[in-house]
Amino acid sequence: MGGDQKPRKRTKSNGEGSVYRTVRKKTRVDGTVVETVSWRGYITLDIVGGKQEKKYSKSAPTKAEANKNLRDLINARDAGTLTTTKALTVQEWMEHYLTVLAPKKPIKGRKGNRRSTLATYKGYAKNHVYPRIGKKRMDAVKAEDLEACYQAMADAGMAASSIHQVDAMMKVAFDIAWRRNRMPRNIADLTMLPAGAQPKEDRDVELDEMLRVLEVAKKRRLGAKWVLRIVYGLRQGETLGFTVPALDFDAGVLNVRWQLQRDRPDGHGCGDPVGTERSRLTYAHGCGEPTGTATLRSDADRYKEPPELVRPPKLFPCGKRQAKQCPKVVVGGGVERPAWPCGKAQAARCPNSDGGGLVLLPVKTKASDAPLPMPKQIADLLKARLTAQKRERIEEGPRWKGWEINGEQVLLLFSQRNGRPIDPRDDWDEWVSILEEAGAEHIRPHAARHWAATMMVALEIHPRIAMTLLRHADIQTTMNLYARSPNAELRKAAEEMSALFLGKAIGE
């Protein structure tokens, strides 16, 4: 610095930022040049990699407006809501979250979401979130944008439970983004959810109907499966994934450690689509509702054993079993879809896909892993099942295949005659046939879990004991979601309350 040159006087302190003027020249079609003047502010941040990081405010046509934008930037920094990283779009962040972060985030005592859960979340994001707010920047998306997305899902007829799942996914994803300075705050915490389409609730079931269903179920080849489902309230996957080593007759306990689930692959592993193809046509009866069911042949395919899992074909008014032969056939399908190099439409059938098929997974939570007491009646029933299983293996001979996981043989307590696991869809069909034989109206297989809680309430079992038997992590789940007093009990309670407040009925 020269001796006569005075140092420039500093007008701002550290952290106050600066505003500068920019001039841009634009040449019009007629050749004239127009200058555009704008003002923009910035503040300096930490030094990263030996370079001073800066955060810029929005440009403005005047210096006064630029100073206001700069003050807003400084206030956001002081409040801790300033985003200091590169602004990503909602779709870019959600794809990163679902692919990298969600699979390893600790949830309910386990590491990461299950593959089936991730597949569901990815479907929600692809079909509902990305088309509506996927292109918005993370630091610019608002709670109203997310509410509009939820409202559109509700208007499309989605159930309230599905919208709640999407909201839970967005809350976790945006919370991580906020903590990593990707957005000024977690706007998902500010959203108001629409009512949506209300989920279908299971109807109330009388005690005599439960006993009729249980009596029919006990006569089936795997009757013990339904006894455990109704008495203990086991989930479908827990029952189908119950292994023989989990039985401890000496200690008199059942150890529920595994559940059978259908794994869904992340996608095709054969590469990108090579074009499009037309799906096959589908056919449906147009002559009306089924009038009954046909009788199964006695020589049914043994590989579809057990026979009670084979759902009998339906009889239609037209007299034809195949929908294609119905005179009022309804033709559908034939839509365009991606064509994959492997030639398969479904990712689960791609030979190069990662995942797919039936798998054994640990139970949902630590509470689900709690051992259950085994009364003598249950122990005798399970011992009879093991004896029948050994007899079936001898009868099957070379047809017995068993089930191997990672080279180790897995012996399931409830399996097909050939030792392979029972498909959950076949389990559903068996439940439907049991209800039909018992003369009961349709209700979901998961209702058996509700029945267990209902009976515990009717028997006046302490809620804490009921929570342990049902293996819930929260007692509110036991009492509010599953426990439904039988109608007879409700009527009795109403009569007692009426007698207390209104006296005895007239004529008594």
Side-chain angles (χ1 to χ4, degrees), residues 23-335:
V23 179
R24 294 183 180 180
K25 296 182 179 181
K26 183 178 181 181
T27 304
R28 293 179 174 175
V29 179
D30 57 3
T32 59
V33 179
V34 179
E35 292 186 350
T36 302
V37 179
S38 62
W39 295 81
R40 193 179 189 187
Y42 70 90
I43 58 175
T44 57
L45 303 174
D46 297 333
I47 298 177
V48 179
K51 183 179 179 181
Q52 184 76 56
E53 290 288 320
K54 296 180 180 179
K55 184 70 175 181
Y56 292 86
S57 63
K58 295 180 181 179
S59 298
T62 64
K63 186 176 182 180
E65 292 182 42
N67 280 321
K68 180 181 179 301
N69 294 338
L70 179 61
R71 287 195 300 271
D72 294 339
L73 192 67
I74 294 174
N75 292 336
R77 180 199 61 191
D78 296 341
T81 60
L82 180 65
T83 57
T84 58
T85 54
K86 178 183 177 182
L88 300 177
T89 63
V90 172
Q91 181 171 347
E92 289 174 337
W93 173 253
M94 291 303 300
E95 288 177 347
H96 174 71
Y97 167 73
L98 293 173
T99 305
V100 179
L101 303 180
K104 58 185 179 182
K105 178 178 173 57
I107 298 175
K108 292 183 179 180
R110 66 175 186 269
K111 184 178 180 181
N113 289 281
R114 299 195 187 281
R115 291 170 61 96
S116 58
T117 304
L118 291 175
T120 301
Y121 284 171
K122 289 178 181 179
Y124 284 147
K126 179 180 178 181
N127 298 325
H128 302 286
V129 178
Y130 298 162
R132 296 181 175 94
I133 61 173
K135 295 182 179 180
K136 290 185 175 292
R137 288 180 19 162
M138 289 290 291
D139 57 354
V141 66
K142 300 178 180 178
E144 291 77 10
D145 300 326
L146 204 53
E147 289 174 343
C149 178
Y150 295 157
Q151 187 61 54
M153 294 165 62
D155 295 340
M158 287 190 65
S161 57
S162 299
I163 300 176
H164 275 273
Q165 287 184 0
V166 178
D167 180 57
M169 172 185 70
M170 301 304 294
K171 277 183 168 63
V172 176
F174 281 6
D175 183 68
I176 298 177
W178 166 63
R179 294 178 185 277
R180 297 188 178 187
N181 288 327
R182 293 288 182 181
M183 59 193 314
R185 67 175 304 172
N186 184 0
I187 56 98
D189 285 336
L190 309 176
T191 54
M192 302 284 288
L193 297 182
Q198 294 300 320
K200 295 181 179 179
E201 294 186 357
D202 292 321
R203 61 181 177 85
D204 292 331
V205 180
E206 298 284 355
L207 177 58
D208 60 341
E209 186 178 5
M210 296 184 196
L211 296 178
R212 287 203 319 270
V213 172
L214 184 58
E215 194 63 30
V216 173
K218 288 193 297 183
K219 299 176 182 179
R220 298 300 178 100
R221 168 179 167 266
L222 300 178
K225 174 183 66 173
W226 299 107
V227 173
L228 293 185
R229 190 91 59 94
I230 295 175
V231 173
Y232 291 102
L234 295 184
R235 302 174 179 91
Q236 182 190 46
E238 294 171 346
T239 311
L240 300 181
F242 205 94
T243 59
V244 174
L247 297 173
D248 191 344
F249 292 105
D250 295 334
V253 295
L254 303 168
N255 297 295
V256 185
R257 294 170 180 167
W258 302 97
Q259 58 178 330
L260 185 74
Q261 296 288 339
R262 181 172 297 281
D263 187 27
R264 287 193 280 179
D266 294 333
H268 280 264
C270 55
D272 296 328
V274 294
T276 59
E277 63 180 2
R278 202 159 195 78
S279 63
R280 293 186 301 176
L281 296 177
T282 59
Y283 303 93
H285 280 270
C287 56
E289 296 295 327
T291 57
T293 57
T295 304
L296 287 175
R297 297 181 306 173
S298 59
D299 58 342
D301 186 3
R302 289 180 59 85
Y303 286 100
K304 291 184 178 180
E305 292 283 346
E308 60 264 22
L309 295 184
V310 183
R311 197 169 184 179
K314 298 179 180 179
L315 295 178
F316 288 86
C318 65
K320 305 293 183 180
R321 288 189 179 182
Q322 296 184 7
K324 193 174 183 179
Q325 299 176 352
C326 177
K328 299 181 180 180
V329 61
V330 178
V331 183
V335 297

Side-chain angles (χ1 to χ4, degrees), residues 375-438:
K376 184 179 183 303
Q377 298 91 332
I378 299 294
D380 293 341
L381 192 65
L382 296 179
K383 288 178 181 178
R385 170 62 205 143
L386 291 177
T387 302
Q389 187 179 60
K390 294 177 182 178
R391 183 176 63 252
E392 290 173 354
R393 182 168 181 174
I394 296 174
E395 293 174 352
E396 289 295 306
R399 289 189 294 268
W400 194 89
K401 303 297 182 183
W403 193 33
E404 288 188 359
I405 299 180
N406 298 327
E408 295 184 4
Q409 190 71 235
V410 177
L411 186 58
L412 297 173
L413 181 62
F414 306 112
S415 64
Q416 302 180 48
R417 293 181 64 92
N418 59 9
R420 300 287 297 170
I422 297 174
D423 193 291
R425 290 172 294 194
D426 294 333
D427 182 76
W428 182 292
D429 289 343
E430 184 186 11
W431 173 255
V432 173
S433 67
I434 290 174
L435 294 178
E436 292 177 353
E437 185 177 345

